[in-house]
Every structure is written in C-alpha cells, then in structure tokens.
C-alpha cells in the first residue's frame, strides 16, 4: 500500500521527497537512475569524485602501509542518496586517487539495508579495524565490525565482517532510539587497557555522543553516561573526538593524552547540516568531555566551514605527524540537474588541522601535497594600491582551475561602518553583498567571472567598527554565481578573529570548476561554495581582485597558479 502510494506520487511529482527520520532526502524513484551526459562543465579537476553517481560522507580514512585510504558513502546506481555502500580509493599523496572495488556492502542481516558511516582504528598490533553503522532488516541502526581479510595487503581490498555482528545495538533495556544511533568514531585506548568509542545519538532533542567501552574490540558495553550531550541540538551525526597539542602544529594519535593535550569534539548537526566543534578537556577518569564553552548559544559555536561542508572526519597521519580532516561537499544544484549530470557530491581538499596558538580555535590548511599541482605561477611584484571602486583582472592562470593567495592591508578605520549591534554574519553578508559599497569593504576576489560580469562568485572582506574595535566580516556571495536560478544561491559569511590593525587580511581560494574553497586569516576560517556558472565556464572564466569600498586598500601579496588535473579514479 505504502509503496504504491509512493509510485503514484512519483508519477505526478517526479522529484517527490520522502524523508526518513533524520538523514538524507530519499527519492525512491530516482535511486537507480543513471545518466550519461557528455556535457560536463562542473566536474572538478583536482577535487575527489568518482566517475559518476552520488557520494556523501568520507568514511574510515587512514594511512596504512604507505597508502592513504578513503572510503566513502556511495550509491552505485544513481545520482541521489540510496543503496548505500562503502566505495574505496587509495592514494600515495592525498591528491591522486586510484579506485578499488567496494569495500563494505550489504551482505549480512546486520547491514542488509545499508552500510552507513563509520571509522577505522589502527589496533596496537598495527592492523586496522572498521566500525560502521549497518541498517538491519527492521531498519534499525546497529554497529558492526569489519577487519581486513589479509592485513599484509597494503590496499586492504577485502574486508571480513565478524560473525558476532552487530557489536552494538539498540535494545529495550538500553532504550536507545533505533533510528538515532549511528556513525562510530575512531576508538581510543584508555590507560586501563579498554577501548572507547562514540556513537552519535539523540533523545528527544538532546544530541548525545554515547560512549561504549571494550576490552577486545568485539564486546562493547555502553557507559552509564554519554561522553557529552547538549539539549536542543538534535541528532549528532558523524561525531569525531581527538586530541590536539596546545602549542604545536603536529598531530597526535587518538589515544594520546597528557598535560599539553586539549581535546576536540566535532558533531555534524543533522538539524543544521553543519559541522560544529568544541575545544575542551577530556577527563579520562570520569570519561567526560568538559568544553571551554558549550552549545548554549549555537550561533557562537565554532564551525569547520561556514559554507557547504558536512559529515567530516579526521585521522592521524603517523608518518607526517599531522591530523588530516576530510569532509563531504554536497551539490547546490537541483536534483533534476544532478540526475542530468549523473553525479552528486565531492570531497573537499584534505586539510591539515591543529590548534591555533590562542588555544581558542582550530586552524585548517590544505595539505601541502596539493601544491604539486601548481603550474604557471604568477606573482604581482610590488605592493599595489587598489583604489576605491577598482577591479583588476588576474591574468596568466586558468581561472576555472586555480589556486590564488592574496593579502590586503586595510587601515583606514575612520571610514569603517559602525555596527551597533551584533548580527548573524551570514545575514549581514546577504544584506551587504559584493555590490554594496561600504566604508572599508567589500574587497576580495571575483572567481568564475564572465566577461560581461553577468556572473561571478565573490569572496570578500568587509571591516566594521564594533564597540570601537575593528570587526572583520568574511563573505562568500553566490547570489550572482549563475544565470541558472534553480541552484541554491545562499550567501555564506563569518566573522574572523583577526585584528587588521596588526595583521594583513589573507585569503587563499582553491577554485575548481564548480567549487571555491576559501581559507581566510591563514586558515582561521573556511568557506566552501558550490557554484554552476553558465557563461564563466572553463576558458571563459575570469578572475579579478576588486575593491568596491569608499577607501583604498593595498594588495601586499598576490600569487596565483593554474592547477594541473589530479589523477582521480
Ligand atoms: N550519512 C550517513 C549516515 C550519517 C549521514 C548515511 C551523514 O551514517 O549519519 O549515508 O551525512
């Protein structure tokens, strides 16, 4: 009955959406539809994506026997979410990737309706183990364990699911809601020799990171208390919990603890579709996380990325001693357009991540390996004054596939507009887009600009005076990015913890056909945008620096590169 009702709806409303509780949109009638469009202006040149179909969360990233492994949520049959398996690619440098066969796919009752997100843990014997969420025949979320069939194979091609699965499950006794119990983290080992792992959960509207402990990685017992929980935050998807060093950029293994260690808890809030993180202290005796500031005011909780970026996960690269962050960047195009292009979703460029010297926030920076793709460098030699209202074209690079670094000196604070009261930075950015002249801003980059400037994606700064101090706003304005108005054209924004009287405002944008990843303040804030220009595509795209403020600003540095294509899948 329910199925036939869905079919009838599907005939009249071809993109009929069925929302199963708390996760992706479910377009039942489109889950197995493939397309073979040859016109592909939006495929990326150096961002990770498979040749076709839907992808979402990165899963189980790790470095093993000299190879980086990326598993990811994948629909082998179509360009919308569904039929979910773990696809698998490997890389020597986090940039060029080779595909392998699917690693984990429905094969036992505990995952027969889907293999959802999870994480890898390198056990003390050096072998990896994967915990992931399976959907059982009753559509309940349970946690399963998979181990490599042959741990001496650096490609880790085949995975064996242990017969004891599921290793964690909702029961009447534990009262866990079976549709809100998913996404195990990488485990860490306590001094008592017991592993700990977190599972994302909610009860009513309280988001929780449930804590489980195990001596052998097979038998898991739920702790009395979650590691942390917060009222009103809804379902916590893809939690991540890891240590960072207080005065160093080096990463450490997930089990490291001690006097110079702080801990980070990241959760992907299903209600907001953003990744939020808290910095705090892990009390290993009580197995509790005490954040410096909690979720009381969600608007002031830090985010990895203030644009399109979700379900991220970190891992420790033990050879290069760094922690790497991977994240899913969804499309901003309509479902109809995704079906036409035959694919949906990319992975962001892997980012190194560490604690800022202030201890108040994290810093993210594209992994250094990406610089191998840089070609045809251009550099503006001297400090250039960018007059009020001026726009200069950056020539000599392939503007649709580029890496650009620019820094501005903006010191005429007398001219900065006064912001009397705090406003949501995203709202402020949409009110004051790139075309709205201000005292000290907007100045920044126009990416994917068409010759007639009918299309462009602007990323820019605007400085306000707030409580007699400079306040820097950073915006990524998509409102003019495409003549195709079916796209999500949301403008993104954030305030930056940078004092422009003491440091220049730096911006680095990774531009790649339909994505602009912008790192501001040397990585203290990041905004990722998905855009689909209709005119400014491939060789037609242009790049500019602009200053539409009333005051002049100085460009103190501009370096740009064309980016070579990465070998991906
Ligand atoms: N995606 C997975 C879930 C996770 C969600 C399903 C987050 O495990 O909670 O594809 O995007």
């Amino acid at each position: 009955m329910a199925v036939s009702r869905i079919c009838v709806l599907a005939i009249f409303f071809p993109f009929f959406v069925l929302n199963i509780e708390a996760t992706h949109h479910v377009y039942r009638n489109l889950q197995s539809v493939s397309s073979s469009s040859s016109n592909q202006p939006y495929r990326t040149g150096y961002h990770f994506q498979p040749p076709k179909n839907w992808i979402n969360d990165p899963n189980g990233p790790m470095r093993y026997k000299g190879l980086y492994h990326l598993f990811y949520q994948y629909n082998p049959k179509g360009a919308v979410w569904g039929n979910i398996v773990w696809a698998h690619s490997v890389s020597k440098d986090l940039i060029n990737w080779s595909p392998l066969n699917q690693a984990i796919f429905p094969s036992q009752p505990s995952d027969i309706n889907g293999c959802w997100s999870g994480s890898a843990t390198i056990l003390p014997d050096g072998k990896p183990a994967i915990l992931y969420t399976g959907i059982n025949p009753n559509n309940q979320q349970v946690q399963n364990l998979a181990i490599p069939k042959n741990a001496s194979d650096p490609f880790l091609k085949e995975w064996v699911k242990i017969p004891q699965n599921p290793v964690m499950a909702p029961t009447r006794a534990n009262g866990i809601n079976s549709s809100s119990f998913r996404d195990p983290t990488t485990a860490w080992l306590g001094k008592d020799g017991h592993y700990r792992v977190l599972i994302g959960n909610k009860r009513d509207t309280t988001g929780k990171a449930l804590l489980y402990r195990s001596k052998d990685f097979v038998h898991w017992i739920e702790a009395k208390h979650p590691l942390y929980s917060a009222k009103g935050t809804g379902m916590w998807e893809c939690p991540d919990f890891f240590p960072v060093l207080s005065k160093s950029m080096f990463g450490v293994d997930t089990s490291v603890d001690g006097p110079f260690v702080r801990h980070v808890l990241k959760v992907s809030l299903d209600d907001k579709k953003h990744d939020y993180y808290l910095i705090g202290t892990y009390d290993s005796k009580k197995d509790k996380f005490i954040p410096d500031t909690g979720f009381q005011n969600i608007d002031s909780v830090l985010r990895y990325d203030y644009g399109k970026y979700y379900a991220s996960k970190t891992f420790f690269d033990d050879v290069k001693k760094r922690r790497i962050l991977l994240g899913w960047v969804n499309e901003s195009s309509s479902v109809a357009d995704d079906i036409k292009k035959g694919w949906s979703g990319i992975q962001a460029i892997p980012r190194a991540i560490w604690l800022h010297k202030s201890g108040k926030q994290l810093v993210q920076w594209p992994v250094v390996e990406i610089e191998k793709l840089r070609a045809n460098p251009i550099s503006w030699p001297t400090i250039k004054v960018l007059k009020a209202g001026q726009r200069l074209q950056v020539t000599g690079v392939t503007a649709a596939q580029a890496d650009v670094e620019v820094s501005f000196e903006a010191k005429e604070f007398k001219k900065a507009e006064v912001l009397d009261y705090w406003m949501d930075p995203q709202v402020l950015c949409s009110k004051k887009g790139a075309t709205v002249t201000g005292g000290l801003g907007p100045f920044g980059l126009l990416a994917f600009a068409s010759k007639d400037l009918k299309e462009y994606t602007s990323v820019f700064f605007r400085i306000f005076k707030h409580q007699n101090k400079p306040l820097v706003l950073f915006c990524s304005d998509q409102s003019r990015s495409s003549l195709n108005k079916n796209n999500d054209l949301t403008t993104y924004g954030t305030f930056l913890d940078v004092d422009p009287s003491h440091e220049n405002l730096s911006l680095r944008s990774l531009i790649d056909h339909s994505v602009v990843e912008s790192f501001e303040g040397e990585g203290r804030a990041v905004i990722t945008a998905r855009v689909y220009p209709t005119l400014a595509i491939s060789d037609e795209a242009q790049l500019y620096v602009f200053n539409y403020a009333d005051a002049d600003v100085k460009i103190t540095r501009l370096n740009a590169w064309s980016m070579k294509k990465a070998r991906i899948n």
Side-chain angles (χ1 to χ4, degrees):
M1 179 65 184
V3 172
S4 62
R5 197 176 299 145
I6 289 167
C7 292
V8 170
L9 281 167
I11 292 165
F12 292 106
F13 307 101
F15 303 120
F16 159 62
V17 184
L18 179 75
N19 268 321
I20 60 168
E21 197 185 337
T23 187
H24 308 270
H25 290 315
V26 179
Y27 303 89
R28 288 231 188 278
N29 54 331
L30 300 173
Q31 275 174 5
S32 305
V33 176
S34 64
S35 149
S36 54
S37 171
S38 52
N39 179 23
Q40 292 285 0
Y42 307 127
R43 281 194 68 83
T44 55
Y46 60 96
H47 281 74
F48 180 93
Q49 56 180 147
K52 58 179 186 176
N53 296 334
W54 164 276
I55 73 168
N56 55 291
D57 322 352
N59 291 152
M62 66 177 126
R63 182 174 186 141
Y64 187 68
K65 292 191 187 295
L67 286 177
Y68 294 102
H69 290 256
L70 169 64
F71 306 87
Y72 54 96
Q73 297 277 283
Y74 180 61
N75 177 0
K77 296 185 180 162
V80 300
W81 184 87
N83 313 305
I84 291 294
V85 301
W86 280 41
H88 186 192
S89 289
V90 287
S91 170
K92 282 192 178 145
D93 56 9
L94 291 166
I95 301 302
N96 299 288
W97 293 91
S98 311
L100 296 173
N101 289 341
Q102 288 167 21
I104 299 179
F105 43 84
S107 68
Q108 44 170 229
S110 59
D111 67 10
I112 206 65
N113 281 328
C115 297
W116 289 14
S117 285
S119 308
T121 303
I122 308 283
L123 300 177
D125 64 1
K127 294 180 186 160
I130 283 176
L131 286 169
Y132 69 98
T133 300
I135 309 299
N136 75 11
N138 302 321
N139 282 329
Q140 292 172 319
Q141 297 168 9
V142 298
Q143 317 314 322
N144 296 315
L145 174 62
I147 51 174
K149 187 166 182 188
N150 172 11
S152 59
D153 168 22
F155 292 92
L156 296 172
K157 279 194 211 109
E158 287 180 83
W159 289 81
V160 181
K161 298 170 189 172
I162 64 159
Q164 293 94 326
N165 280 338
V167 293
M168 293 166 238
T171 60
R172 202 171 284 170
N174 63 29
I176 293 171
N177 179 346
S178 64
S179 58
S180 310
F181 181 56
R182 55 182 181 273
D183 309 337
T185 60
T186 295
W188 71 99
L189 198 55
K191 289 203 183 78
D192 56 4
H194 289 238
Y195 297 99
R196 277 109 170 121
V197 84
L198 303 179
I199 316 288
N201 171 249
K202 76 165 174 183
R203 182 177 289 240
D204 302 323
T205 58
T206 299
K208 296 185 182 199
L210 298 183
L211 178 74
Y212 278 75
R213 297 193 192 93
S214 170
K215 218 172 152 51
D216 58 4
F217 225 82
V218 173
H219 300 91
W220 293 89
I221 295 171
E222 191 195 349
K224 278 210 188 88
H225 305 281
L227 181 90
Y228 189 64
S229 65
K231 285 195 183 124
T233 50
M235 177 62 191
W236 287 7
E237 298 190 308
C238 302
D240 194 17
F241 185 59
F242 56 90
V244 282
L245 294 175
S246 32
K247 294 266 180 270
S248 164
M249 290 165 69
F250 284 119
V252 284
D253 177 79
T254 314
S255 300
V256 167
D257 202 359
F260 300 104
V261 169
R262 308 252 41 220
H263 273 79
V264 176
L265 176 66
K266 182 281 301 189
V267 290
S268 303
L269 291 192
D270 192 27
D271 291 355
K272 301 259 178 197
K273 286 284 175 260
H274 296 305
D275 282 11
Y276 292 82
Y277 70 88
L278 307 174
I279 299 170
T281 304
Y282 167 50
D283 179 339
S284 59
K285 288 209 184 83
K286 292 194 184 133
D287 258 335
K288 288 213 152 173
F289 175 66
I290 304 115
D292 297 346
T293 45
F295 273 110
Q296 293 81 346
N297 175 8
I298 190 80
D299 291 333
S300 61
V301 180
L302 293 160
R303 280 166 50 185
Y304 281 163
D305 194 303
Y306 293 84
K308 227 167 215 190
Y309 191 83
Y310 194 64
S312 63
K313 193 177 289 299
T314 62
F315 72 99
F316 173 56
D317 176 350
D318 61 334
V319 175
K320 297 208 166 167
K321 306 286 176 231
R322 56 186 178 171
R323 187 160 281 276
I324 304 287
L325 171 71
L326 300 169
W328 164 46
V329 185
N330 198 357
E331 301 301 306
S332 295
S333 43
S334 66
V335 171
D337 283 348
D338 293 346
I339 303 271
K340 243 187 261 160
K341 50 189 208 297
W343 56 272
S344 173
I346 61 171
Q347 300 292 336
I349 297 300
R351 304 170 182 172
I353 182 167
W354 66 92
L355 189 64
H356 186 255
K357 56 181 188 292
S358 67
K360 289 195 292 189
Q361 66 162 111
L362 295 171
V363 183
Q364 302 166 67
W365 200 245
V367 290
V368 62
E369 288 88 336
I370 193 76
E371 295 171 23
K372 287 197 301 191
L373 297 178
R374 287 172 166 177
N376 311 328
I378 64 131
S379 185
W380 286 5
T382 46
I383 295 184
K384 257 195 201 334
V385 174
L386 204 53
K387 293 249 163 245
Q390 199 179 6
R391 183 180 61 242
L392 294 174
Q393 190 176 352
V394 181
T395 54
V397 292
T398 53
Q401 198 173 302
D403 182 356
V404 195
E405 291 179 344
V406 58
S407 293
F408 299 94
E409 188 186 292
K411 294 224 159 113
E412 280 198 64
F413 297 125
K414 299 186 293 296
K415 294 208 175 157
E417 292 153 74
V418 176
L419 193 69
D420 290 324
Y421 51 94
W422 190 91
M423 255 181 98
D424 179 334
Q426 179 157 339
V427 173
L428 199 51
C429 284
S430 16
K431 284 205 168 141
K432 291 181 181 279
T435 50
V436 181
T437 297
L440 201 48
F443 53 88
L445 294 173
L446 301 183
F448 298 121
S450 63
K451 290 194 181 104
D452 54 8
L453 288 180
K454 280 200 177 123
E455 286 181 339
Y456 55 83
T457 296
S458 48
V459 280
F460 58 87
F461 299 96
R462 200 182 267 282
I463 302 174
F464 292 95
K465 233 182 271 159
H466 180 60
Q467 296 173 344
N468 269 327
K469 280 196 241 134
L471 177 65
V472 180
L473 178 72
F474 185 78
C475 307
S476 175
D477 179 359
Q478 283 69 246
S479 60
R480 288 163 196 254
S481 60
S482 177
L483 297 182
N484 175 356
K485 299 296 173 208
N486 293 330
N487 300 313
D488 168 6
L489 299 175
T490 308
T491 290
Y492 308 121
T494 181
F495 292 119
L496 268 186
D497 191 11
V498 169
D499 178 354
S501 44
H502 291 113
E503 64 178 296
N504 294 337
L505 295 177
S506 76
L507 164 63
R508 177 176 180 193
S509 287
L510 297 172
I511 303 168
D512 193 4
H513 298 276
S514 58
V515 57
V516 185
E517 274 188 79
S518 299
F519 296 77
E520 300 83 47
E522 311 290 343
R524 272 168 281 175
V526 189
I527 301 186
T528 298
R530 295 304 308 278
V531 290
Y532 312 89
T534 60
L535 307 169
I537 53 176
S538 307
D539 293 345
E540 298 299 310
Q542 300 189 335
L543 177 68
Y544 292 88
V545 266
F546 75 100
N547 173 24
Y548 295 159
D550 279 337
D552 298 352
V553 294
K554 275 186 200 151
I555 300 177
T556 54
R557 176 181 71 137
L558 188 144
N559 300 317
W561 297 263
S562 300
M563 290 296 267
K564 288 182 271 187
K565 207 171 158 46
R567 287 187 313 280
I568 296 177
N569 294 322

